[in-house]
Amino acid sequence: MNELRNFSEFKYYTYSQRECTVIKNGILKNYNFIVLYNVKTYEMRVSEFTDFFLHKERLNNSIHTNKNNYGTILILFLNYIFFNRAPKLKNIEELTIDIGNEFLNKYVYGDLQQQSNNRKMTVKLDEVIQKAEIALSRFYKWLFYNEKYQMKFIKKNDFVYKDSFRFNINHKIFRDTGLKSLFTVEYPHKPSLQKIESPDELMVYTLLEVSKQFDPMLTLAIALQSFGGLRRGEVCQMCRERISIINPSRQVISFSVDLRQEYMLRSDGIRTGNIKIPRIQIIYEAFLPYISKIYQQHLKFLQINEFDKDSYGALFIGKNNKALTTNSYGSRFNRLIPKLIERLGVMANSGNVNAAINFEMLTKNKMTTHSLRYFFTEYVAQREPPHMVAMYRGDKSIDSALTYLAKARSRIKYIQNIQNSFKDDYERIMGKPFWED
């Protein structure tokens, strides 16, 4: 098979990856597919290689896994062999393992694009290379065993398997047979910045203050990750109808987020985020006064800037007046980190030892959105037993925990105590009142 046989002007075509959202009985299902895209006429055709994702080994993967672990590298590979390589491949059946070696060793050092001049900026990390090897090996296997193709230079004995053993959830040994890489790749062993897994209160609270000043749209998002343990994709699925607040006598005793299913939040069909584990997420009670104030402040911000007109009720809006995607959120979050480092530097120069430690940590390590979930976990783990930590993190069913909370009358008093503790710690760490309107 050769889907390029009907195209006379190859130079205008490129392989690309697209996503499609389908509603099945009220449930959103997301699929990714490979397309041939004409950059001149904007014509788009679904590629025959999309079937790779529909194979039983990948059909039930999350779209995140299929796009990032497979799709990204396959797009680069297909563009390389059909459009960028010299000589270009005329038919996929002429593919060889040597071509795969050639591609991967160029990919490792960022030499796929001829105009690339800065090699250091594009050198890949070892774990990224390993994923690329696995993805490409499985693509070769799919081609070999697919009846559509008669691979001329790939043989059955090229595929070697290895056994690994691990424990399953019932603590029984589980045997896993995996495909070894078909390729020989030089690893550059590029040093990487360690991700920060234990940001302290000063770092997180200061980040919130920086966000209020430089990108107030993100303040609630950062708070939901820091105080609710939400993942980045879950934050970008937020809309008004998901929020439920219980505040008898004007005291907030419950703030929950309904994450039982994904919503479509944009008219253009672009997926904003994903929910890893469907659930109703309870915000840890110690944070309720603070996060409820941030939420109310966020609603005012949306109203003042006329972002509250969004027909989907999205809580985070991008520059195009559409719901913020995970990529956009990540990019804007990253732009706050230099401001955070600068703010901590000023505090350090004023004699704040804790700020000096954080300043040093941020200059040598990487702060990510997931670092906020680590902060949340550590904060709650210091105050609650493991099964409660799992509930607040959204790691498992919370039915039994909800029953426990409903029956425990002393819980109200406990909530008051931990809220007061959070307030006192905040004022001690930040050196200012808990909340300033």
Side-chain angles (χ1 to χ4, degrees):
M1 297 281 291
N2 181 13
E3 63 188 3
L4 297 175
R5 63 187 178 277
N6 296 323
F7 297 144
S8 57
E9 297 182 75
F10 292 147
K11 64 181 179 179
Y12 294 122
Y13 283 89
T14 183
Y15 280 100
S16 182
Q17 188 172 199
R18 292 292 187 271
E19 184 175 321
C20 178
T21 300
V22 178
I23 301 177
K24 292 185 175 182
N25 294 329
I27 302 297
L28 289 183
K29 295 286 290 183
N30 297 284
Y31 301 92
N32 64 308
F33 51 97
I34 296 172
V35 299
L36 267 169
Y37 179 67
N38 187 316
V39 296
K40 186 176 182 180
T41 65
Y42 308 114
E43 174 192 12
M44 190 184 303
R45 301 186 185 186
V46 177
S47 165
E48 64 190 60
F49 301 122
T50 292
D51 288 348
F52 172 75
F53 298 115
L54 302 179
H55 187 273
K56 64 181 181 180
E57 291 182 359
R58 287 163 292 277
L59 181 61
N60 291 307
N61 286 347
S62 71
I63 190 168
H64 176 85
T65 296
N66 277 340
K67 286 181 66 177
N68 295 341
N69 291 10
Y70 295 104
T72 300
I73 194 69
L74 289 186
I75 294 303
L76 288 172
F77 181 64
L78 292 171
N79 280 323
Y80 175 72
I81 62 176
F82 287 123
F83 302 127
N84 301 328
R85 184 175 180 267
K88 298 179 178 67
L89 209 63
K90 295 181 180 179
N91 193 310
I92 194 66
E93 294 175 348
E94 299 173 357
L95 189 62
T96 67
I97 291 177
D98 283 342
I99 291 175
N101 286 331
E102 177 187 302
F103 165 79
L104 285 169
N105 282 286
K106 286 177 177 290
Y107 169 75
V108 164
Y109 287 98
D111 291 337
L112 291 176
Q113 299 295 330
Q114 293 181 356
Q115 68 271 25
S116 177
N117 296 318
N118 195 335
R119 194 166 182 162
K120 291 182 179 180
M121 293 299 292
T122 53
V123 173
K124 302 298 184 291
L125 297 172
D126 286 5
E127 56 265 33
V128 174
I129 302 167
Q130 289 170 356
K131 285 185 178 180
E133 282 198 72
I134 292 170
L136 212 55
S137 295
R138 290 176 179 172
F139 182 62
Y140 271 61
K141 177 186 172 184
W142 173 77
L143 289 171
F144 179 79
Y145 285 103
N146 194 318
E147 294 180 353
K148 288 182 182 179
Y149 309 108
Q150 300 298 318
M151 304 304 292
K152 299 177 183 178
F153 306 110
I154 310 296
K155 308 300 179 187
K156 186 175 182 179
N157 59 8
D158 289 328
F159 302 100
V160 179
Y161 300 86
K162 61 179 179 180
D163 289 337
S164 60
F165 299 90
R166 57 185 173 85
F167 289 102
N168 64 13
I169 58 175
N170 295 319
H171 302 289
K172 294 182 179 179
I173 295 178
F174 179 78
R175 180 178 178 179
D176 189 15
T177 301
L179 176 66
K180 284 187 175 182
S181 173
L182 278 65
F183 309 104
T184 302
V185 183
E186 177 191 9
Y187 278 58
H189 303 302
K190 175 185 176 181
S192 61
L193 287 177
Q194 189 72 24
K195 293 181 181 179
I196 294 177
E197 296 186 357
S198 56
D200 66 3
E201 289 131 301
L202 178 64
M203 188 182 295
V204 172
Y205 301 161
T206 305
L207 175 61
L208 284 163
E209 295 300 312
V210 168
S211 175
K212 288 178 184 178
Q213 180 178 352
F214 295 103
D215 196 346
M217 181 64 78
L218 296 196
T219 306
L220 177 62
I222 293 170
L224 286 170
Q225 290 203 268
S226 304
F227 305 144
L230 270 64
R231 300 169 179 87
R232 182 171 74 170
E234 293 166 347
V235 164
C236 292
Q237 268 281 304
M238 291 301 299
C239 58
R240 295 179 189 231
E241 69 177 80
R242 292 192 187 276
I243 304 291
S244 177
I245 301 174
I246 301 176
N247 55 343
S249 303
R250 302 183 69 179
Q251 178 192 0
V252 179
I253 63 170
S254 175
F255 189 115
S256 61
V257 184
D258 189 342
L259 296 173
R260 287 177 291 185
Q261 68 179 70
E262 291 186 14
Y263 292 160
M264 176 57 66
L265 298 179
R266 293 171 60 124
S267 59
D268 56 10
I270 292 177
R271 188 166 173 247
T272 57
N274 66 293
I275 296 173
K276 186 173 183 179
I277 300 176
R279 66 198 186 278
I280 294 179
Q281 182 65 53
I282 295 176
I283 304 298
Y284 185 52
E285 288 90 348
F287 302 130
L288 294 185
Y290 191 69
I291 199 168
S292 60
K293 288 181 181 292
I294 288 180
Y295 178 59
Q296 295 303 324
Q297 189 178 63
H298 186 77
L299 294 180
K300 290 181 181 178
F301 169 78
L302 293 178
Q303 184 179 23
I304 292 171
N305 292 277
E306 297 186 349
F307 292 130
D308 60 334
K309 304 292 194 299
D310 181 73
S311 58
Y312 297 90
L315 285 176
F316 305 110
I317 308 296
K319 291 183 178 179
N320 56 0
N321 289 326
K322 296 185 182 298
L324 203 64
T325 64
T326 52
N327 287 340
S328 295
Y329 172 44
S331 297
R332 289 171 67 164
F333 179 90
N334 291 339
R335 289 197 289 270
L336 289 176
I337 303 305
K339 302 290 185 182
L340 171 62
I341 295 173
E342 182 181 344
R343 181 74 59 88
L344 289 169
V346 172
M347 296 166 67
N349 291 335
S350 300
N352 189 321
V353 176
N354 216 12
I357 294 172
N358 282 327
F359 177 85
E360 186 74 10
M361 185 186 299
L362 281 167
T363 56
K364 296 181 178 180
N365 300 277
K366 186 177 181 180
M367 177 83 161
T368 69
T369 57
H370 205 69
S371 300
L372 304 176
R373 184 166 160 84
Y374 288 126
F375 163 78
F376 172 80
T377 300
E378 189 169 311
Y379 189 97
V380 178
Q382 292 173 359
R383 295 159 175 82
E384 301 288 348
H387 72 281
M388 294 298 287
V389 175
M391 181 195 77
Y392 286 115
R393 278 175 48 89
D395 288 335
K396 64 178 183 178
S397 172
I398 63 171
D399 292 344
S400 59
L402 283 173
T403 302
Y404 160 77
L405 287 173
K407 291 182 177 179
R409 293 183 179 181
S410 61
R411 189 72 183 173
I412 299 298
K413 181 64 176 176
Y414 176 71
I415 290 172
Q416 291 175 342
N417 289 337
I418 59 175
Q419 287 180 359
N420 289 336
S421 175
F422 168 75
K423 177 177 176 292
D424 293 342
D425 287 344
Y426 181 94
E427 293 179 350
R428 174 179 55 81
I429 291 168
M430 299 303 290
K432 65 176 189 177
F434 167 68
W435 189 265
E436 294 177 332
D437 292 322

